[in-house]
Structures are given as C-alpha cells and as structure tokens.
C-alpha cells in the first residue's frame, strides 16, 4: 500500500476526521483518528477512530452495526485533518440520528432519527 501523504498527528497524536456521505455530501460526524486508527481504516475499508473519553481505538458500527464503508480518504492542505468519504449504514450518531449535526444552534431538530438508540446500545455509547 502506498504511504501517500504524511499526516501531521501533532503533539497529542490525533487528528480530527470528518465523515461525509460520499453520495449526498451530508456531513455525518466528526471524530478523532490516531495513526493506528488510520492504518486500520486503510487496511479494512471501514472507518476506525480513537475515543478520547475511553482512550481506545474503535471501529464505527462495531456495537450498532451502523458501519461506515470508507470510499476515499482525503487530507487537508496542512495534512492535519482528514475527510472520510463514506457509505453510511444506518445512522452515524449514537442518538439514533442519521447525522450528529441534527440540531440548529437554536435547538430546532432538523435531522432525521433513523434508529432507536435504546434498542441498540446498552450503557456504552459509540
């Protein structure tokens, strides 16, 4: 596999990654990626991230089944932010919404809830 562009993971070893629907362009979520998460994503074709709160690598959809098949990974001009162009199975947000960006700043719900989170998760959110 060609190594391509060297991503600048900075002092904390993480970069933000935006997940965007490859077909519609809808922004689905933002999470953080470690070098290992990026390597795992490239190897498997499924989105992997690094949970800062749990301090661990995780595969999107491992608990919910709502995986992200990564069609392309883009890197920004400074090589310190990633864009995952994905085919999202089900919802991206642990609240059950298609996108994590389902509310306006005024509190209006503008996004669609596509699954019941209580039926999918125990106490551990993705």
């Amino acid at each position: 596999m060609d190594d391509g562009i060297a991503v600048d993971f900075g002092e904390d070893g993480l970069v933000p990654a935006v997940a965007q629907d490859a077909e519609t362009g809808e922004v689905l979520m933002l999470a953080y990626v470690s070098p290992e998460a990026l390597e795992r994503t490239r190897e498997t074709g499924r989105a992997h991230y690094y949970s800062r709160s749990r301090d661990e690598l995780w595969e999107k959809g491992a608990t919910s089944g709502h995986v992200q098949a990564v069609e392309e990974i883009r890197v920004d001009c400074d090589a310190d932010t990633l864009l995952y162009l994905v085919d999202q199975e089900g919802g991206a947000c642990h609240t059950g919404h298609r996108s994590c960006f389902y509310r306006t700043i005024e509190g209006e719900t503008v996004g669609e809830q596509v699954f019941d989170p209580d039926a999918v998760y125990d106490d551990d959110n993705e």
Side-chain angles (χ1 to χ4, degrees), residues 11 21 33 55 62 68 78 87 103 109 111 113-114 117 123:
E11 290 181 20
D21 187 294
V33 172
D55 195 26
Q68 293 176 339
D78 294 323
D87 176 16
R103 302 176 290 188
T109 298
Q113 190 168 35
V114 294
D123 294 322

Side-chain angles (χ1 to χ4, degrees), residues 57-98:
L57 182 77
W58 60 281
E59 178 181 343
K60 177 68 180 146
T63 302
S64 66
H66 299 159
V67 296
Q68 293 176 339
V70 178
E71 294 188 11
E72 185 174 65
I73 301 172
R74 295 186 186 177
V75 61
D76 79 336
C77 57
D78 294 323
D80 63 1
T81 303
L82 300 175
L83 176 65
Y84 284 0
L85 297 173
V86 304
D87 176 16
Q88 174 69 55
E89 183 72 35
C93 187
H94 72 276
T95 65
H97 289 83
R98 169 98 178 128

Side-chain angles (χ1 to χ4, degrees), residues 28-79:
L28 300 172
M29 59 180 274
L30 179 134
Y32 289 85
V33 172
S34 64
E36 183 184 3
L38 178 58
E39 182 180 329
R40 202 68 82 66
T41 298
R42 293 180 76 190
E43 287 173 356
T44 66
R46 294 184 312 275
H48 287 73
Y49 300 100
Y50 190 84
S51 171
R52 297 177 301 167
S53 61
R54 294 191 312 260
D55 195 26
E56 66 183 17
L57 182 77
W58 60 281
E59 178 181 343
K60 177 68 180 146
T63 302
S64 66
H66 299 159
V67 296
Q68 293 176 339
V70 178
E71 294 188 11
E72 185 174 65
I73 301 172
R74 295 186 186 177
V75 61
D76 79 336
C77 57
D78 294 323

Side-chain angles (χ1 to χ4, degrees), residues 97 100-112:
H97 289 83
C100 292
F101 299 95
Y102 65 91
R103 302 176 290 188
T104 67
I105 194 75
E106 290 81 18
E108 179 186 356
T109 298
V110 293
E112 176 186 11

